[in-house]
Amino acid sequence: MNEKSVSIRPARREDVAAIVEMLADDHLGRGRERVEDPLPASYYAAFERVAHDPNLTLVVAESEGRVVGCLQLAVLAGISSQGGVRGLLEDVRVASDCRSRGIGEQLVQWAIAEAKARGCNLVELLTHASRVDAQRFYERLGFSRSHVGMTVRF
């Protein structure tokens, strides 16, 4: 597979299993995702919520009929930054056997262009502190460290 053969398209329900597999394919995802056959219904319910929200866009990178990457773009209106609209990238993943081929870069560049087209004045993302390779990747694409993220789980 070469990066020229990758297309980015909206995710479909039949892509959910491949997306979950990519989400589970690292040290953090293994502990929080459930890759089972059949997948838990919660994944499909979440897909339906995303698919019906005009401010959320879930896309996949596909090559030769196989889903090899994914990304979600959230478009968030707000009062801050003079009422600016921001894009938030979530769940950027590339299949482990397809990394270092430019697929992640294509996904992120697609998302930045889409955010601009939808009126966003900035794009932000969160990446876990332990994902140092991901941090270097995003910095190479022009992102800068600007926030301290905090989480509360329930």
Side-chain angles (χ1 to χ4, degrees):
M1 161 193 350
N2 63 52
E3 65 187 70
K4 299 269 189 225
S5 64
V6 173
S7 61
I8 297 172
R9 63 163 174 79
R12 299 186 291 250
R13 183 178 173 84
E14 59 264 24
D15 300 324
V16 172
I19 292 168
V20 172
E21 285 180 24
M22 286 183 287
L23 293 173
D25 188 22
D26 70 14
H27 67 284
L28 295 171
R30 275 188 290 280
R32 71 177 164 220
E33 305 304 338
R34 288 179 48 201
V35 179
E36 302 169 359
D37 188 16
L39 280 177
S42 59
Y43 287 112
Y44 295 102
F47 174 81
E48 293 301 326
R49 287 192 305 272
V50 170
H52 289 94
D53 187 327
N55 296 309
L56 300 177
T57 303
L58 178 63
V59 297
V60 296
E62 184 177 58
S63 178
E64 301 171 359
R66 177 183 168 212
V67 172
V68 295
C70 62
L71 170 147
Q72 181 174 303
L73 171 65
V75 175
L76 307 170
I79 301 298
S80 68
S81 299
Q82 301 177 42
V85 178
R86 66 188 68 220
L88 177 64
L89 302 186
E90 292 281 336
D91 300 331
V92 180
R93 297 289 193 284
V94 172
S96 58
D97 64 325
C98 297
R99 293 182 187 147
S100 299
R101 298 182 186 178
I103 296 168
E105 183 171 350
Q106 281 184 274
L107 280 163
V108 171
Q109 295 298 349
W110 176 90
I112 290 170
E114 180 69 12
K116 285 180 184 176
R118 293 183 62 183
C120 296
N121 60 356
L122 62 90
V123 174
E124 296 177 317
L125 59 86
L126 301 170
T127 187
H128 195 273
S130 67
R131 290 191 167 119
V132 293
D133 290 340
Q135 292 164 36
R136 282 192 294 271
F137 167 74
Y138 293 122
E139 287 172 340
R140 184 175 59 77
L141 295 179
F143 288 83
S144 60
R145 296 172 190 259
S146 58
H147 294 75
V148 173
M150 302 174 82
T151 302
V152 61
R153 292 196 186 274
F154 28 79

